[in-house]
Amino acid sequence: MIREPIISVLGHVDHGKTTFLDKIRGTALAEREAGRITQHIGATEVPIETIKELSGTLMARFGFSLNIPGLLFIDTPGHEAFTNLRKRGGSIADLAVLIVDVTQGFQNQTVEAIEILRSYKTPFIVGATKIDRLREWNSKEGSFLENLKNQSSGAEHELDEKIYALVTSLFKYGFESERIDRCEDFTKQVPIVPVSSISGEGIPEILMLLAGLSQKFLKKELEVSEKEEMKGTVLEIKEEKGFGATADVILYHGQIRTGSDIVLGGKNGIIKTKVRALLKPMPLEEMRDTKKKFVKVKEAVAACGVKIAAPGLDEALAGSPVRMAAGKGKAESEILNEIESIKVRGASGIVIKADTLGSLEALTRVFSEKNIPIKKGDLGNITKHDVLEADSVRISDPLHGVVLGFNVDTDTYAKDEAHG
């Protein structure tokens, strides 16, 4: 059995990540006669029938044939969501779309996204958005390659200038790339797809590439068995009225049922709990007609996003693995060992505190690749002890005697110590 590839979307703030995802959903909804789009917790499934309807001609042109069931887009774009899509040794995201505003090119967060994708070894394509803002470009819904034939020479020239600026930037960070129709080898070149999230131009090419490339080059990773062990990752912890703290989980192996005993990582150790309810959102096309946000399901099968309601989840960690509680504490020890393996203790260097396992893992990867030593990498708020550790480093190494926090607060005593 083959599961849906899991797709994440990254890029600089205001470069159009959310609008791009909205257009993917909207375009798929418009084609729902071809295949029903399904809204998961934290993800949107675009069925293969919809992809064939939108991109069938392109599939034939590029030599792709499909038997995957569809694409599972992670709805929350950005670095943090991506880093929480973690598993030991990499990311559960099979592919990523790097969104770059073609009128602005690479910005700070674009570079951060590139470095995170490279450190997780996640294949990606580039969506060069906002081509509708180019002076002479006449953007229309549908295929970019078809619309290209109707552009003026001036419009083509301006687009080429913008695309080659992206090619140059990508090369600077070690990636060969080219516009989609000029790519000679998808295993060696990152394809760049000009896109308008306003008109929908280029969306067929994006869907075609994600579906075709994942099936052609990631076939082994997508093979699953109904009997295999359940594996998931916590994307977010959210309060839901009537349920309390719930875990938004991306399930990428096996299946989970109501009443199952599960284990996951918590802020103060392992959490063992029983699934009280599994929740999925109402289908997108019905959301406006009802006040009911979720429907209960008895089971969920990979790959999908599902909301788990269970006691004790208020202390659960985003980025933590989720497993079935089985055997003599095997799952608990595996999760605990994985959490401890992400934390860092060194002889000297900076101190890092982060809010989630995914953030901590990504930060330590990036700093290590830059050869910046880390004395301590841990979870939770910045404490007085963290400041004292940094101060001890500062005596012999002023450059690295700092505490860096990501999405965490600083305790009052820590502030007093830092200002003292």
Side-chain angles (χ1 to χ4, degrees):
M1 189 166 72
I2 295 179
R3 65 165 173 83
E4 297 94 337
I6 298 170
I7 313 295
S8 188
V9 180
L10 295 86
H12 188 74
V13 65
D14 292 334
H15 274 206
K17 300 185 296 294
T18 301
T19 311
F20 170 79
L21 278 166
D22 285 345
K23 196 64 184 180
I24 291 281
R25 284 188 288 266
T27 303
L29 275 172
E31 296 292 337
R32 64 180 179 268
E33 306 81 20
R36 184 181 178 89
I37 187 172
T38 305
Q39 183 74 355
H40 297 255
I41 293 295
T44 298
E45 180 186 346
V46 180
I48 197 61
E49 293 86 358
T50 298
I51 296 168
K52 287 178 178 177
E53 181 73 22
L54 291 168
S55 310
T57 304
L58 290 165
M59 291 287 181
R61 172 174 172 175
F62 285 87
F64 293 131
S65 59
L66 299 179
N67 61 4
I68 59 171
L71 296 170
L72 192 71
F73 281 90
I74 301 304
D75 282 355
T76 308
H79 302 2
E80 191 175 353
F82 178 82
T83 55
N84 283 335
L85 290 168
R86 54 168 305 284
K87 62 180 179 180
R88 185 182 286 272
S91 171
I92 67 169
D94 300 295
L95 284 167
V97 183
L98 179 65
I99 296 294
V100 186
D101 182 340
V102 77
T103 67
Q104 293 186 10
F106 271 37
Q107 303 293 317
N108 291 340
Q109 288 179 326
T110 318
V111 175
E112 291 169 13
I114 282 275
E115 291 181 339
I116 289 170
L117 288 168
R118 180 165 53 191
S119 69
Y120 280 91
K121 296 183 173 61
T122 303
F124 66 96
I125 66 175
V126 173
T129 58
K130 303 189 181 181
I131 60 170
D132 50 278
R133 294 190 178 183
L134 299 179
R135 285 192 304 274
E136 294 187 39
W137 194 265
N138 181 21
S139 187
K140 293 181 181 179
E141 184 177 9
S143 166
F144 158 76
L145 294 176
E146 283 301 309
N147 196 34
L148 178 63
K149 300 172 185 176
N150 302 316
Q151 303 299 322
S152 67
S153 58
E156 285 193 47
H157 179 71
E158 185 181 13
L159 178 64
D160 273 346
E161 285 184 340
K162 302 296 186 183
I163 295 298
Y164 281 113
L166 298 184
V167 169
T168 302
S169 296
L170 284 161
F171 186 76
K172 181 180 176 182
Y173 294 97
F175 295 96
E176 286 191 32
S177 61
E178 191 47 277
R179 200 174 74 185
I180 176 175
D181 51 316
R182 296 169 179 160
C183 275
E184 296 178 356
D185 187 343
F186 288 121
T187 64
K188 296 178 181 178
Q189 293 173 301
V190 175
I192 300 172
V193 182
V195 174
S196 168
S197 298
I198 304 300
S199 70
E201 182 177 358
I203 296 296
E205 279 84 357
I206 291 281
L207 295 175
M208 178 271 296
L209 278 176
L210 292 172
L213 293 177
S214 58
Q215 181 169 302
K216 191 168 185 177
F217 300 117
L218 301 171
K219 191 173 181 179
K220 186 176 180 181
E221 288 85 343
L222 299 179
E223 290 178 353
V224 293
S225 166
E226 292 182 5
K227 296 180 181 179
E228 69 187 356
E229 177 188 1
M230 186 275 281
K231 293 182 180 179
T233 295
V234 178
L235 190 60
E236 279 186 281
I237 302 297
K238 290 180 180 176
E239 288 282 336
E240 295 292 350
K241 191 174 181 180
F243 294 100
T246 63
D248 289 359
V249 171
I250 302 297
L251 191 68
Y252 61 95
H253 275 287
Q255 53 192 319
I256 186 171
R257 294 183 176 88
T258 301
S260 297
D261 291 318
I262 59 170
V263 290
L264 64 161
K267 295 174 183 176
N268 299 304
I270 293 295
I271 296 171
K272 185 175 181 179
T273 187
K274 185 181 289 289
V275 177
R276 193 167 70 234
L278 296 173
L279 307 167
K280 287 199 171 185
M282 298 295 288
L284 279 180
E285 54 264 50
E286 297 171 17
M287 274 187 160
R288 294 177 185 172
D289 302 325
T290 178
K291 293 180 180 179
K292 189 177 180 182
K293 290 172 66 178
F294 305 110
V295 289
K296 289 185 179 180
V297 295
K298 291 183 178 179
E299 68 174 11
V301 180
C304 73
V306 64
K307 182 180 286 290
I308 297 176
L313 292 180
D314 50 320
E315 291 292 302
L317 275 172
S320 165
V322 183
R323 300 287 186 270
M324 287 291 186
K328 298 179 179 180
K330 181 185 175 184
E332 290 96 319
S333 61
E334 283 181 357
I335 292 173
L336 198 58
N337 288 339
E338 184 167 339
I339 292 172
E340 289 304 314
S341 72
I342 294 167
K343 297 178 181 180
V344 178
R345 293 299 300 181
S348 185
I350 63 173
V351 175
I352 301 172
K353 298 299 287 287
D355 61 333
T356 71
L357 282 175
S359 299
L360 179 60
E361 186 174 45
L363 286 166
T364 54
R365 278 174 181 259
V366 170
F367 283 117
S368 297
E369 287 173 1
K370 300 292 185 185
N371 295 317
I372 296 173
I374 302 169
K375 181 176 176 65
K376 178 182 178 181
D378 209 338
L379 298 160
N381 291 338
I382 297 170
T383 65
K384 180 179 178 180
H385 187 259
D386 297 324
V387 175
L388 290 172
E389 289 212 59
D391 197 42
S392 68
V393 172
R394 186 173 61 86
I395 296 169
S396 58
D397 186 3
L399 189 63
H400 294 127
V402 296
V403 182
L404 302 177
F406 185 83
N407 277 358
V408 294
D409 293 325
T410 303
D411 294 348
T412 302
Y413 292 121
K415 290 179 182 178
D416 292 343
E417 184 65 36
H419 292 140

